[in-house]
Amino acid sequence: MITIAVDAMGSDNSPNSEVEGAVQAARAYGVRVLLVGREAMLAPMLKERGAASLPIEIRNASQTIAMDEQPVAAFRKKRDSSIRVGAELVRDGVASGLVSAGNTGAVMAISKVVIGVVEGVDRPGLAAVVPTLTGHAVLLDVGANVACKPQHLVQFAIMGNLFSKQIVGVPSPRVGLMSVGEEESKGNDLTREVHKMLKKASLNFIGNVEGRDIYNGRADVIVCDGFTGNVALKTSEGLIEAVLKLLRDELSSNVQAKIGALLSQQSFKRLKKRLDYSEYGGAPLIGIRGVTIICHGRSSSNAIKNAIRVAKGFAENQVNAKLEEALSRVDSYAGLGKRALV
């Protein structure tokens, strides 16, 4: 049975979302969950949910890293934080993955130092799976690295390509580079240099893509720096929430609209499910030696449940081992090497 550690203390809704999500995941996916946090708080909550027969255990952690704390300072001062204890469980082989909706910078920093980074990776990247008109696309980085060098984006392309193959199931992912125009000459110094490098790579590189291409299905992997990716992702989340609310308002505006809404109820439920970020769980931190899934700070229990599912899938598919093997065949990131990237 795959074991996943869950940081139960870091999110906006903690520990309610984490406890409920762990219970749902243990029931639905046959996964063992280690809830990491204050035992005195977590134990009664599990008892209330009748979880005694489920494969859920508590690992006590006396400290919590707040959302507004500096990651490096928190790492040094809070050695018994729920994030760090969870990362140590992965490092020591007790758990196959860590799920956290806590301070993103702290989760990333602690995962890098405690779990370790795959050889050849300068900076792990956060990969988000987004719905498209034709299926799903992988967008990375979405917030782990706000300032990047060209070789970092090349590594994101390699890691995103592998993620798309192994997790999304795309045989030959189309890799696009986020820019302000399709032409090779468009963009800033960073994107123009990355474009030149990716043209030499053994990837299915389709050139520059624009913001509108995130959802139209043109690319299976979209590469960008963490600043751009984070803004794009959160703008999309806000737009989806606004559109769904406007749609609800319109469908309840008069009798005819209410009748139409009733007739289309199942279709609207399917649409909401397809667009709901909680159905995708969280963003995997790709490039570390273990599995870390970073969730939205306001994650619901459904988001935590699905993040545990994603972590379980990563562990079962041995994505990190395959990534490490793929990267071992790259001679030089600066010049992309002489051998195939993947």
Side-chain angles (χ1 to χ4, degrees):
M1 184 179 288
I2 297 292
T3 300
I4 303 298
V6 176
D7 164 24
M9 308 306 297
S11 75
D12 296 343
N13 303 313
S14 67
N16 294 292
S17 291
E18 287 81 356
V19 172
E20 183 60 35
V23 169
Q24 293 176 13
R27 286 177 175 153
Y29 306 130
V31 62
R32 177 172 173 249
V33 180
L34 301 179
L35 277 174
V36 185
R38 296 187 180 94
E39 186 171 8
M41 183 182 294
L42 299 176
M45 297 180 71
L46 283 176
K47 187 176 182 180
E48 288 172 7
R49 289 164 172 79
S53 62
L54 295 174
I56 302 176
E57 300 174 24
I58 298 171
R59 294 301 171 96
N60 189 61
S62 61
Q63 296 174 307
T64 300
I65 297 176
M67 287 291 189
D68 59 353
E69 287 190 66
Q70 289 297 319
V72 175
F75 171 74
R76 291 173 178 169
K77 294 178 181 178
K78 294 188 173 180
R79 295 184 174 274
D80 197 41
S81 70
S82 54
I83 298 174
R84 181 157 183 164
V85 172
E88 288 172 347
L89 291 171
V90 176
R91 179 199 63 193
D92 297 339
V94 178
S96 297
L98 168 65
V99 169
S100 177
N103 183 312
T104 298
V107 179
M108 188 184 74
I110 290 172
S111 294
K112 284 176 65 177
V113 175
V114 175
I115 300 175
V117 178
V118 170
E119 186 177 354
V121 173
D122 294 326
R123 296 187 184 181
L126 272 176
V129 177
V130 297
T132 71
L133 295 178
T134 58
H136 297 89
V138 179
L139 176 67
L140 79 165
D141 178 36
V142 293
N145 307 280
V146 296
C148 296
K149 295 179 180 179
Q151 63 266 29
H152 299 147
L153 267 68
V154 173
Q155 292 177 16
F156 298 159
I158 297 167
M159 294 189 288
N161 180 68
L162 183 73
F163 178 83
S164 182
K165 282 184 177 180
Q166 299 295 333
I167 300 298
V168 185
V170 180
S172 180
R174 296 160 296 168
V175 179
L177 174 64
M178 179 76 79
S179 189
V180 294
E182 295 181 3
E183 297 82 4
E184 184 175 347
S185 60
K186 293 291 182 68
N188 53 22
D189 292 341
L190 175 65
T191 57
R192 287 194 293 269
E193 182 61 27
V194 173
H195 193 287
K196 293 177 184 177
M197 296 170 74
L198 289 179
K199 280 179 66 177
K200 302 175 184 177
S202 297
L203 297 168
N204 185 11
F205 179 55
I206 62 172
N208 288 348
V209 296
E210 299 179 82
R212 62 169 175 254
D213 296 316
I214 296 176
Y215 298 99
N216 65 17
R218 185 182 168 207
D220 301 301
V221 178
I222 300 171
V223 179
C224 56
D225 63 83
F227 184 93
T228 302
N230 191 267
V231 171
L233 187 66
K234 289 182 178 176
T235 299
S236 301
E237 289 175 357
L239 177 61
I240 289 170
E241 289 177 358
V243 168
L244 290 175
K245 185 180 186 307
L246 290 171
L247 188 60
R248 284 195 299 269
D249 291 345
E250 287 298 320
L251 292 175
S252 61
S253 60
N254 53 56
V255 175
Q256 291 90 340
K258 289 179 180 178
I259 293 173
L262 184 63
L263 295 173
S264 305
Q265 189 174 26
Q266 292 304 314
S267 296
F268 290 130
K269 283 183 178 179
R270 288 194 297 269
L271 175 64
K272 185 177 184 299
K273 185 178 179 70
R274 188 173 177 183
L275 296 178
D276 186 358
Y277 77 88
S278 72
E279 294 296 326
Y280 300 90
L285 185 60
I286 304 180
I288 60 170
R289 290 190 177 276
V291 178
T292 294
I293 309 297
I294 300 179
C295 306
H296 203 297
R298 54 190 178 92
S299 287
S300 63
S301 58
N302 189 53
I304 298 298
K305 168 192 169 185
N306 284 303
I308 294 171
R309 171 182 56 79
V310 172
K312 179 175 182 281
F314 255 68
E316 288 177 334
N317 285 287
Q318 298 183 318
V319 173
N320 290 296
K322 291 174 181 176
L323 172 62
E324 197 160 1
E325 194 276 331
L327 291 171
S328 71
R329 289 185 272 127
V330 181
D331 289 326
S332 168
Y333 281 115
L336 293 178
K338 300 176 182 177
R339 296 192 294 272
L341 289 175
V342 291

